[in-house]
Amino acid sequence: MNNLFQALMDIVGEDHISNRQEELFIYSWDLGTTEPHKPDFVVSPRTTKEIQKIMELANREKIPVVPLGGGLSLAGLAVPFKGGILVDLKRMDTIIEVNEQARYALLECGVSQGQLTSYLERNHPHLTHSEPGAPPTATIAGNAAIHGQGDLSQPYGFNSDMINGLEIVLPTGEVCCFGSCSIGAGWFTQHPLPDVGLFLGWTGTTGIITKISLRLFPCKKIRGTALFVVDDEDQVPEIYYKITHTQMCEDIVAFSQTIPPYAGGLHHFTVNLAADSEKELELKQEIIFDDALGKIIQQGYGGYLGFTPGLQHPQISKTSDWRKGGGFEYVGGIMPVSQYPECYRRGKEISERHNIPYTVLGRCIGAAHAMMFSWTYAFNRSDPETIHHAREAMRETDELALELGGTIWKPGIYGQKLVMDRMDPNTLELMKKIKQLLDPNGIMNPGNWEVKS
Amino acid sequence: MSLADFEYGDIIHRCFRCGYCKFPVNWMDVNNCPAYARYRMESYSCGGRLWLTRAWLMNEIQWTDHLAHILYSCTACKNCEVKCPLGINVDILNMIRAAKKEMVEQGKIPTAARDFLESIQLHGNPYRIPKSKRGVWMDEAGIERYQGQEYLYHVGCVGAYDTRAREAAKKLGRLLQKCGVSFGALGEAEPCDGNEVNHMGEEGLFEMMVEDNISLLNSLGVKKVITLSPHSYNAIKNDYPRYGGKFRILHYTQLLEKLIEANRLNPTVEMRIKVTYHDPCFLGRWNAEYDAPRSVLKSIPGVSLVEMERNRESSLCCGGGGGNFSMDLLGGSPDSPARRRVHEALATGANILAVACPKCLIILEDAVKVEGLDDKLIVKDIAEIAAESCGIM
Ligand SMILES: Cc1cc2nc3c(=O)[nH]c(=O)nc-3n(C[C@H](O)[C@H](O)[C@H](O)COP(=O)(O)OP(=O)(O)OC[C@H]3O[C@@H](n4cnc5c(N)ncnc54)[C@H](O)[C@@H]3O)c2cc1C
């Protein structure tokens, strides 16, 4: 271990390595309900070259490597279950290039969502990216590594569908590029070359993304949120359908929660609109709320609550801190939109069983092709009983997501097992072969997506 | 001490570690916590410190030098409190200070912190220089002793002892004289105000100092105080009243602003400089005074004022608060906050980095030297710029 420490220190420098109890403690914890596991070392490299050397060393010594971005994925996905080297990637935070014409940004993997948002606002006000509702310290690469979604997922799909290219350090230490950059043609497209899908959604089990080319989108002068409400969950799928038909919005989220009390039992929709002029904005509002939803409003099933200009940057919501306990975790299911009512009803039951005020939310992905439906469970970090309840509720919800015909997004180890138990055996076998090919010594984020023989 | 006995034991677990506390208001990067900027490990972020404190109080980890280093590297710059979205934000620094206090009570603090406190106790300053030398600066500047004038000019330890800061202290004194302000200073009788002692968790010593200082000032009939340092200003304004010390207190930039408004200060020399201003934490975030220093600078002929991207509430701390000016737990790296900060100043195209705090003055000037920027950027106190514009050299 001493030799390993020295070897790692030679790679990253003495300020950027630790095996002291304080760092091992902090990096053993996820922010959710996952039990802590300590790494043996924490390193925070600055360059791809350093990461490459770390991987070569780890592969030679057969020691686990766990990549960490913002550490906000909440499902224990970067908890070092088998110890090893925790690689905190947040020092890799250079915005290398923004190509205004081709609308993409080339980023080092540790660039945070907040950093990119702010950079674009200040330097390229005509461009924006699909920002998740996560705290702004979440990284762009961490989000892609788990197939995240953001506030442009309605028109453009998953955030991981917005990638033009990747630079990856493989578990065996080679650096590979994917997309047009691989033939020296710049970073403007992923297709039509062979896919980068080997690294997206794999939660860091096939390599470390060191650079990422992310698609940017037009940012209109006026952006804001229209609010619409209905009291019957059965109406929600139809409303998603009608709104997406208009092709007029940037984001559609339906939510329901016990707190504040006026919101309980109701289903609010936040519909993000963008326009370059008041005229365009009015037209969009008319098309959505008069033409598409007018009937529902006239019949008294739903109400339009107005438009608020300006997009709120993501905040930790009040319900998340409901227990005044600094803890919450959620299950995200990628669900058929038609299942919103059942997701809501069954989720509410689970919450009630565990004495947690319910908070559910469905974000529309694509033209209502799917929704990310989240069931959030708050807990009090200082009360083990509430942690236990939240954990149990999460497990029941993992099962529910599958039972209702969906799949679990960024599942923790428990959910991963449920998914793999149901997976087509040939697909599973292929996953295993890919993993063996890329990571012959099984060093990458072990514990996750491990296909048993 | 157990968690149950800790003053904030009922709320310390409420930090989610979402990381908002690392950002400036506009989110431009995750480096606005100076200790996190320097070390870039989660342990050195505000959330890291709170989680580690809790783990220590719950006996999940043991006290180590490293743990003490992590806690004492907090400069109390208040960025975390401004950015934290949760209701516990108002108590974040109280929690850190209470943890330091516990370390003080157990006698387990970094050596540099112990040396600092020992020197304050022995000499009334962190420099280990005898008290008798505290008045040298005012004799050099021909400043009167305080004898019931309208204002007491409290210069503070750094302004009294540090060669560079003394220049600023003297220029301010001469400027006030030129404006006809009735003031005096205490010289070797001036006590340390204790702001750093407080933020280092030495509550007992702080209380003693404050009580002594209040009775001294009261016995001299002091009603109004001007300070050179925002750190002194903060302690006298926000902490002394709890102990019965009620003084009308002004940071010197506030007084200069008033003097300009009243036409008593008329800067006339055309300066022809491009200036960017660095907000000191104890004037800005702690006391919401962002405008007075800027208004003074703007009223000086030939000053073109440009802002760094991180300014006002978002300003990046130079790394000198909470005793770190003396302990230097954040120095020694290109990632040290002051070394990052001078590059931000340079990026504005300014040739002068203006400050309103003697600690910022020294730390940033050192950073300019270490970064080899001496020929591009000069660090000056606003008092110096104003004085020069009034022909005081
Ligand atoms: C309040 C809240 C709201 C949220 N809302 C959303 C939302 O709206 N949309 C959404 O998509 N997510 C959301 N999330 C979930 C999550 O925070 C985000 O998806 C986030 O972007 C994940 O990024 P991260 O940097 O925190 O990843 P981490 O948690 O650090 O990592 C995630 C996984 O990817 C791996 N990994 C990290 N970086 C790399 C890399 N460079 N190369 C290879 N593997 C890597 C890690 O090992 C881990 O397995 C939310 C979370 C919270 C707490």
Side-chain angles (χ1 to χ4, degrees):
Chain A
M1 281 293 177
N2 275 348
N3 289 348
L4 262 176
F5 183 85
Q6 187 58 48
L8 286 166
M9 187 156 81
D10 291 344
I11 297 170
V12 293
E14 65 176 334
D15 275 354
H16 305 297
I17 174 159
S18 175
N19 60 356
R20 295 172 167 136
Q21 68 158 2
E22 289 76 8
E23 281 73 37
L24 302 189
F25 174 86
I26 279 292
Y27 287 94
S28 69
W29 283 93
D30 184 60
L31 310 182
T33 58
T34 307
E35 294 284 357
H37 293 268
K38 285 194 176 122
D40 296 300
F41 309 99
V42 178
V43 293
S44 56
R46 178 64 200 92
T47 61
T48 299
K49 189 92 205 138
E50 288 177 11
I51 295 179
Q52 193 181 11
K53 287 185 183 161
I54 294 167
M55 294 286 237
E56 282 166 358
L57 177 72
N59 193 44
R60 205 166 51 236
E61 301 291 331
K62 299 189 176 47
I63 177 165
V65 171
V66 179
L68 178 81
L72 288 157
S73 48
L74 294 182
L77 298 178
V79 169
F81 293 111
K82 301 188 180 169
I85 307 167
L86 188 299
V87 186
D88 183 336
L89 293 161
K90 288 190 284 298
R91 282 180 70 230
M92 307 263 300
D93 62 358
T94 305
I95 297 175
I96 302 165
E97 178 198 355
V98 170
N99 190 317
E100 181 102 35
Q101 274 287 310
R103 292 201 177 103
Y104 71 82
L106 178 60
L107 311 165
E108 283 188 332
C109 60
V111 170
S112 69
Q113 301 286 345
Q115 188 187 348
L116 182 61
T117 302
S118 166
Y119 187 84
L120 294 176
E121 275 173 7
R122 286 175 294 127
N123 300 296
H124 303 275
H126 301 301
L127 297 175
T128 186
H129 75 294
S130 180
E131 184 171 49
T137 35
T139 62
I140 307 281
N143 188 253
I146 59 171
H147 283 314
Q149 331 77 38
D151 59 4
L152 292 176
S153 284
Q154 196 274 302
Y156 304 111
F158 285 88
N159 288 358
S160 46
D161 296 333
M162 304 172 191
I163 285 164
N164 289 336
L166 297 174
E167 179 191 84
I168 305 277
V169 180
L170 296 179
T172 40
E174 299 89 341
V175 179
C176 299
C177 286
F178 293 86
S180 48
C181 62
S182 67
I183 55 165
W187 291 79
F188 70 99
T189 182
Q190 185 196 139
H191 305 313
L193 295 159
D195 254 349
V196 296
L198 298 173
F199 305 96
L200 302 175
W202 282 79
T203 62
T205 56
T206 51
I208 294 189
I209 302 168
T210 42
K211 281 193 196 117
I212 187 161
S213 169
L214 184 75
R215 279 188 210 156
L216 305 174
F217 300 93
C219 182
K220 298 214 172 214
K221 286 188 195 135
I222 310 168
R223 292 178 89 194
T225 303
L227 202 59
F228 183 74
V229 64
V230 289
D231 63 358
D232 177 3
E233 63 270 20
D234 289 322
Q235 298 255 350
V236 173
E238 182 65 11
I239 293 170
Y240 276 132
Y241 191 78
K242 283 183 189 280
I243 305 181
T244 47
H245 180 82
T246 67
Q247 302 190 47
M248 289 285 156
C249 1
E250 293 195 330
D251 194 19
I252 310 170
V253 174
F255 65 92
S256 186
Q257 55 195 41
T258 326
I259 297 168
Y262 70 77
L266 297 179
H267 301 269
H268 285 83
F269 283 80
T270 53
V271 180
N272 285 4
L273 301 177
D276 274 327
S277 64
E278 289 297 335
K279 198 167 129 197
E280 185 185 348
L281 182 67
E282 243 168 65
L283 178 74
K284 287 185 166 171
Q285 282 176 281
E286 243 175 67
I287 291 175
I288 298 170
F289 298 105
D290 295 348
D291 302 349
L293 303 179
K295 215 161 153 195
I296 297 177
I297 298 172
Q298 277 156 23
Q299 288 169 348
Y301 299 129
Y304 177 47
L305 305 178
F307 176 82
T308 312
L311 287 188
Q312 291 290 315
H313 288 311
Q315 286 286 347
I316 293 278
S317 74
K318 293 270 180 290
T319 32
S320 308
D321 191 39
W322 166 79
R323 290 223 182 248
K324 306 244 175 291
F328 76 92
E329 189 169 341
Y330 66 91
V331 170
I334 303 301
M335 310 297 294
V337 165
S338 59
Q339 285 292 24
Y340 182 98
E342 272 306 281
C343 290
Y344 159 71
R345 287 191 282 262
R346 301 279 298 278
K348 205 169 153 206
E349 280 167 25
I350 296 177
S351 287
E352 279 161 8
R353 226 174 9 257
H354 293 282
N355 191 24
I356 302 170
Y358 81 90
T359 303
V360 296
L361 166 162
R363 167 175 264 158
C364 189
I365 300 170
H369 295 114
M371 64 177 172
M372 191 290 291
F373 193 95
S374 69
W375 296 264
T376 297
Y377 302 109
F379 59 87
N380 183 334
R381 214 171 280 289
S382 69
D383 179 353
E385 183 68 17
T386 64
I387 299 175
H388 170 77
H389 272 293
R391 195 178 290 133
E392 285 305 305
M394 297 280 300
R395 291 184 172 188
E396 289 167 32
T397 311
D398 277 351
E399 285 168 28
L400 175 69
L402 296 170
E403 185 196 322
L404 295 181
T407 177
I408 312 168
W409 168 52
K410 65 173 180 71
I413 286 188
Y414 183 84
Q416 288 171 19
K417 186 169 177 313
L418 295 181
V419 171
M420 287 190 286
D421 285 349
R422 284 161 180 75
M423 199 178 264
D424 165 39
N426 290 336
T427 309
L428 207 55
E429 193 53 31
L430 178 65
M431 267 179 72
K432 192 169 152 188
K433 283 183 187 158
I434 290 171
K435 173 76 180 158
Q436 267 166 0
L437 179 74
L438 293 174
D439 183 15
N441 291 314
I443 59 169
M444 289 307 299
N445 207 358
N448 285 285
W449 294 114
E450 280 182 351
V451 182
K452 297 280 176 273
S453 304
Chain B
M1 182 194 269
S2 69
L3 185 65
D5 299 326
F6 185 63
E7 199 181 338
Y8 300 94
D10 58 337
I11 58 167
I12 193 163
H13 62 275
R14 284 184 59 197
C15 166
F16 181 73
R17 275 214 298 123
C18 56
Y20 282 88
C21 52
K22 295 174 184 167
F23 281 98
V25 172
N26 75 357
W27 295 9
M28 62 176 274
D29 71 30
V30 293
N31 283 329
N32 229 41
C33 164
Y36 182 70
R38 164 68 178 85
Y39 292 103
R40 290 305 286 267
M41 290 258 179
E42 287 299 315
S43 40
Y44 279 89
S45 69
C46 164
R49 274 188 285 273
L50 295 178
W51 279 45
L52 287 169
T53 298
R54 180 164 179 260
W56 174 49
L57 295 169
M58 289 176 71
N59 237 340
E60 289 172 359
I61 59 169
Q62 301 311 306
W63 182 91
T64 61
D65 284 334
H66 187 53
L67 181 65
H69 189 280
I70 288 170
L71 276 165
Y72 276 84
S73 68
C74 167
T75 63
C77 76
K78 222 183 197 346
N79 186 68
C80 48
E81 291 199 352
V82 171
K83 308 298 157 9
C84 171
L86 297 180
I88 54 164
N89 53 11
V90 290
D91 276 321
I92 294 175
L93 289 174
N94 288 337
M95 290 191 255
I96 304 288
R97 188 170 41 200
K100 290 179 183 171
K101 181 178 158 210
E102 180 56 22
M103 289 191 177
V104 167
E105 280 170 14
Q106 294 188 15
K108 293 174 168 172
I109 57 174
T111 315
R114 195 202 54 216
D115 292 349
F116 178 99
L117 294 168
E118 202 180 272
S119 180
I120 296 279
Q121 172 73 344
L122 259 176
H123 305 288
N125 67 70
Y127 292 97
R128 298 189 170 266
I129 300 178
K131 256 191 152 183
S132 54
K133 299 266 192 296
R134 195 168 178 125
V136 173
W137 72 276
M138 57 185 289
D139 297 334
E140 285 170 2
I143 286 165
E144 288 175 9
R145 304 277 134 170
Y146 181 80
Q147 297 159 330
Q149 293 95 323
E150 184 181 0
Y151 291 100
L152 169 71
Y153 174 17
H154 178 86
V155 75
C157 299
V158 182
Y161 289 104
D162 182 278
T163 324
R164 176 67 187 90
R166 261 152 61 165
E167 292 309 310
K170 288 191 276 189
K171 285 248 166 87
L172 177 61
R174 293 210 199 100
L175 186 63
L176 296 178
Q177 284 170 336
K178 183 159 183 169
C179 300
V181 175
S182 154
F183 74 99
L186 290 176
E188 48 294 324
E190 184 188 88
C192 169
D193 48 75
N195 192 58
E196 309 314 291
V197 173
N198 183 24
H199 287 283
M200 290 166 80
E202 217 328 346
E203 198 176 276
L205 180 59
F206 180 63
E207 277 180 13
M208 226 163 65
M209 291 168 79
V210 175
E211 278 160 13
D212 288 352
N213 294 355
I214 292 171
S215 55
L216 173 72
L217 299 198
N218 283 341
S219 72
L220 295 170
V222 173
K223 297 272 181 294
K224 297 183 188 175
V225 183
I226 326 159
T227 70
L228 178 69
S229 168
H231 296 242
S232 323
Y233 171 73
N234 180 65
I236 300 173
K237 179 167 179 250
N238 297 321
D239 297 310
Y240 283 32
R242 279 203 310 279
Y243 300 89
K246 303 241 158 67
F247 306 100
R248 283 187 58 197
I249 170 97
L250 287 174
H251 181 254
Y252 82 83
T253 53
Q254 296 171 323
L255 180 61
L256 295 189
E257 186 188 33
K258 283 183 203 297
L259 292 171
I260 290 166
E261 275 165 17
N263 245 337
R264 287 173 63 192
L265 171 58
N266 294 303
T268 49
V269 180
E270 180 84 13
M271 299 298 286
R272 296 211 182 107
I273 47 177
K274 193 167 176 185
V275 178
T276 189
Y277 168 64
H278 165 81
D279 290 275
C281 306
F282 281 99
L283 195 58
R285 277 185 290 261
W286 276 88
N287 289 294
E289 181 56 270
Y290 301 107
D291 294 333
R294 286 178 172 79
S295 124
V296 173
L297 283 168
K298 280 183 197 156
S299 65
I300 295 172
V303 166
S304 133
L305 184 63
V306 284
E307 293 288 353
M308 284 182 267
E309 289 213 85
R310 296 192 248 192
N311 58 64
R312 302 173 78 94
E313 261 194 321
S314 287
S315 182
L316 170 66
C317 168
C318 72
N324 276 286
F325 172 72
S326 307
M327 296 186 295
D328 198 25
L329 304 185
L330 299 179
S333 157
D335 290 331
S336 299
R339 288 168 68 179
R340 288 173 179 270
R341 190 64 168 159
V342 293
H343 284 285
E344 278 176 36
L346 193 68
T348 63
N351 54 352
I352 303 284
L353 171 54
V355 297
C357 167
K359 291 188 171 83
C360 299
L361 176 67
I362 293 152
I363 293 191
L364 292 170
E365 193 169 277
D366 286 351
V368 164
K369 283 183 200 141
V370 177
E371 292 294 306
L373 304 175
D374 322 43
D375 55 337
K376 299 190 182 82
L377 193 65
I378 299 170
V379 185
K380 281 195 175 182
D381 198 286
I382 290 180
E384 296 177 302
I385 303 172
E388 284 162 28
S389 174
C390 291
I392 300 168
M393 288 306 172

